[in-house]
Amino acid sequence: MTTAALIVAAGQGTRAGGAIPKQYARLGEQSVLGRSLGVFLGHPAVDLALVVIAETDRAFYDAAVPSDHPKMLRPAAGGDTRQRSVLNGLRALKVSAPARVLIHDAARPFVTADIVDRVLGALQRAPAAIAAVPLADTLKRAGPDQRIAATLDRAGLWRAQTPQAFRFAAILGAHEAAVAAGRDDLTDDAAVAEWAGIAIELVEGSAANVKLTTAEDLAMAATALGPGAGDVRTGQGFDVHRFTGGDHVWLCGIRIAHTHGLEGHSDADAALHALTDALLGAVGDGDIGEHFPDTDPRWKNAPSHVFLADAAARVRARGGSISNVDVTILCEAPRIAPHRAAMRARIAEILGVEPGRVAVKATTTEGLGFTGRREGIAALATATVVLR
Ligand code: MG
């Protein structure tokens, strides 16, 4: 069963002011449209995506949308009203003959895969389904003097959001019939479906799934995604491995020739072990010994990048991104400085972050303690992650 996403981006967004329509405004690393569209392109149930745009916005569209994505169809031209724009998009989708269509406003960039799941789930039992939230505010009706004339009963009232999901043939038929009947004042596709007598289920959307309308909305959204936003977590790690016979050590994923080796069940990379624990600590997810016990033969002589990559995956599975990591190696020898650039690059590669987010430092302990007596190597690490 083919499912298409129809993203409506043809509005001029004049209420937001600014030089470019709001759907093309930047929000963090992407445009508003790019972010909305990305949720659908990344969703496994969505097979095709088509964006309806104002023809004058073609250059903005080209900059915002990955034209080579296998799910992307060519954009359709918008009409004078939102309703006309959706109809144009539905007509353009006809050749692809999808069974279902999700219609979504580009200006709702905080839609999530969960909301898409819920709407599509409801479409299996209802002819149509839309994301919506129950009204929380008390409603007042104003009189002509802007004084309250009445307080309305909000029981049973919901605010409609998008995505709105329909059987493709049914919603295309409803839109064609509405326009033929001279009804072009309907402000969402659920209203078109209602007019055509299609039953529609309300599905829990999200308070965060707001429509960006004004310049203030855009500024608030940018703040919500900006640096410092989100749940900032810090973790620390510490590890020691003892010197033993050998001719090299592994530190920060780099093989370094040395007069000794390091003893351990895995490759004994104390720096990557400390860093793995720092990442796990930041998200409160146990420690390296719990996830990779040294009693498990699978980890015998294991390369430690496996442990670090697993910790990074655990951070990402919680919606986290790695802000920075910082490693300090304590030893008298080998010398770390000649390997520092390679170590930063290797850690950045394992974590999938820019090298600028990785620091590697080293110090001796002035001949004091077990590192000073050259009995082993110790490593400290901290990691900062942001959960959104
Ligand atoms: Mg260790």
Side-chain angles (χ1 to χ4, degrees):
M1 180 163 48
T2 305
T3 301
L6 175 58
I7 312 297
V8 190
Q12 289 305 301
T14 47
R15 270 180 291 176
I20 64 171
K22 63 176 185 263
Q23 60 272 35
Y24 300 105
R26 291 207 74 76
L27 201 54
E29 289 167 7
Q30 294 181 83
S31 64
V32 172
L33 169 61
R35 196 178 165 91
S36 300
L37 180 62
V39 172
F40 292 90
L41 290 179
H43 196 288
V46 173
D47 305 294
L48 301 169
L50 180 146
V51 183
V52 187
I53 63 170
E55 278 175 322
T56 49
D57 291 345
R58 184 60 199 242
F60 293 134
Y61 171 86
D62 287 340
V65 172
S67 60
D68 55 348
H69 194 287
K71 293 182 181 179
M72 280 310 300
L73 299 173
R74 288 159 47 86
D80 294 339
T81 61
R82 184 188 181 284
Q83 191 184 334
R84 285 282 185 169
S85 292
V86 172
L87 176 56
N88 289 354
L90 291 171
R91 285 174 175 168
L93 277 173
K94 245 159 87 173
V95 63
S96 305
R100 312 186 290 188
V101 61
L102 288 153
I103 302 175
H104 184 69
D105 288 322
R108 292 189 191 270
F110 298 114
V111 61
T112 62
D114 285 352
I115 298 174
V116 174
D117 283 339
R118 289 198 287 275
V119 172
L120 285 179
L123 190 61
Q124 297 191 27
R125 56 182 182 259
I130 72 166
V133 289
L135 207 66
D137 297 327
T138 299
L139 290 179
K140 305 292 186 189
R141 172 168 287 137
D145 54 358
Q146 224 187 114
R147 293 192 178 177
I148 294 169
T151 294
L152 307 180
D153 181 7
R154 72 176 174 217
L157 292 183
W158 293 61
R159 288 189 291 136
Q161 300 184 331
T162 66
Q164 302 190 344
F166 307 92
R167 311 275 154 72
F168 179 76
I171 193 65
L172 175 61
H175 265 277
E176 294 282 12
V179 165
R183 287 300 304 267
D184 59 2
D185 57 332
L186 300 165
T187 53
D188 73 350
D189 305 291
V192 175
E194 280 172 75
W195 176 84
I198 297 171
I200 306 153
E201 184 168 323
L202 292 164
V203 173
E204 189 80 31
S206 156
N209 183 27
V210 291
K211 186 171 186 176
L212 304 184
T213 304
T214 63
E216 188 187 9
D217 295 340
L218 269 172
M220 281 174 60
T223 303
L225 290 171
D231 184 0
V232 179
R233 307 285 194 90
T234 302
Q236 58 154 343
F238 176 68
D239 195 33
V240 172
H241 282 266
R242 177 193 299 273
F243 280 128
T244 183
D247 61 3
H248 69 277
V249 297
W250 285 93
L251 285 171
C252 296
I254 302 294
R255 188 184 196 274
I256 301 173
H258 190 50
T259 54
H260 293 79
L262 288 171
E263 192 176 297
H265 185 69
S266 66
D267 65 7
D269 188 330
L272 290 193
H273 295 180
L275 183 50
T276 299
D277 265 354
L279 283 170
L280 293 173
V283 291
D285 189 359
D287 64 16
I288 190 170
E290 180 185 332
H291 299 300
F292 301 99
D294 60 12
T295 51
D296 187 333
R298 273 184 301 167
W299 315 122
K300 178 90 183 128
N301 301 322
S304 296
H305 65 79
V306 172
F307 311 147
L308 185 59
D310 178 78
R314 287 170 183 273
V315 170
R316 296 204 169 93
R318 284 167 172 72
S321 58
I322 297 166
S323 187
N324 80 299
V325 298
D326 186 9
V327 178
T328 301
I329 299 167
L330 285 69
C331 62
E332 301 293 324
R335 275 176 42 77
I336 302 303
H339 306 285
R340 194 210 302 254
M343 290 173 163
R344 291 181 71 198
R346 180 66 182 128
I347 290 172
E349 181 185 28
I350 298 165
L351 296 178
V353 302
E354 307 143 37
R357 295 183 183 276
V358 178
V360 174
K361 314 191 300 302
T363 183
T364 71
T365 51
E366 301 281 343
L368 300 172
F370 66 87
T371 53
R373 291 188 299 271
R374 301 175 186 247
E375 294 167 4
I377 289 181
L380 297 157
T382 57
T384 302
V385 308
V386 182
L387 306 183
R388 298 190 196 274

